[in-house]
Amino acid sequence: AAEARRGDDTIEGRRFFADGDLPPSAELTQAPEGNDRNGFELRYSLDDDYGIASAEALLMPRIEGEGRRPLVESPSFALTLPGGPGMRGAGRTVQDLSAHPFAGLEATVKLRAEDGVGQVGYSKPRTFRLPARTFINRSRLQISNAGVESLFT
């Protein structure tokens, strides 16, 4: 509170309130869906009390077997921010990872949103199968499947 005084008399008074800055939120609003071009579509909602600065999707392959880890980096990509004030609301991003070594594997996707002061919020993880290239030739399919197993130690 602040007061302007003249002698013992209050001429004018003001009260100030500070709102806390909450971390952003991110949520997948639909399950990831494959499309006709070996890609997939993410539909999501982003929100923050003062606006979203950036957002990305983080993917991690589901690995069977104790102690195994990927030998290649897990894919991540920027999300298209919703338009309008604060870049919050519903968004949609289409991504093609069919050339990535993890194509065709089960993966967990988690969205990461960051606000202007660096606070970060994450969505709940969702699992889906990453789309893969379609092979007509059986020998190419077998070579591709053998290559996937060699990606993990």
Side-chain angles (χ1 to χ4, degrees):
E3 293 181 343
R5 303 180 72 106
R6 184 177 294 144
D8 290 336
D9 298 329
T10 300
I11 300 170
E12 193 171 335
R14 300 275 182 205
R15 290 188 137 184
F16 299 94
F17 297 95
D19 289 334
D21 185 16
L22 300 173
S25 65
E27 177 186 359
L28 282 162
T29 56
Q30 292 182 5
E33 294 181 3
N35 64 21
D36 295 338
R37 296 189 170 169
N38 295 330
F40 62 95
E41 176 179 82
L42 297 177
R43 291 187 180 265
Y44 46 88
S45 176
L46 304 173
D47 196 17
D48 185 63
D49 42 4
Y50 293 102
I52 300 291
S54 66
E56 66 179 332
L58 309 168
L59 286 96
M60 178 62 76
R62 296 198 61 188
I63 304 168
E64 293 183 21
E66 187 82 21
R68 294 182 79 191
R69 61 181 179 79
L71 295 175
V72 295
E73 190 172 322
S74 294
S76 65
F77 53 89
L79 297 175
T80 303
L81 297 179
M87 301 297 180
R88 43 185 185 238
R92 174 182 168 269
T93 298
V94 176
Q95 186 70 27
D96 180 0
L97 294 176
S98 62
H100 192 279
F102 295 157
L105 297 179
E106 288 276 318
T108 301
V109 62
K110 187 166 36 170
L111 306 184
R112 178 186 183 279
E114 186 172 340
D115 67 11
V117 295
Q119 295 184 97
V120 175
Y122 293 92
S123 70
K124 292 179 182 174
R126 291 280 275 277
T127 301
F128 74 109
R129 183 168 299 281
L130 288 169
R133 293 181 179 153
T134 304
F135 290 98
I136 309 283
N137 184 316
R138 275 204 149 122
S139 60
R140 287 187 181 179
L141 175 61
Q142 290 171 337
I143 291 169
S144 174
N145 289 341
V148 167
E149 273 305 307
S150 67
L151 295 173
F152 304 96
T153 62

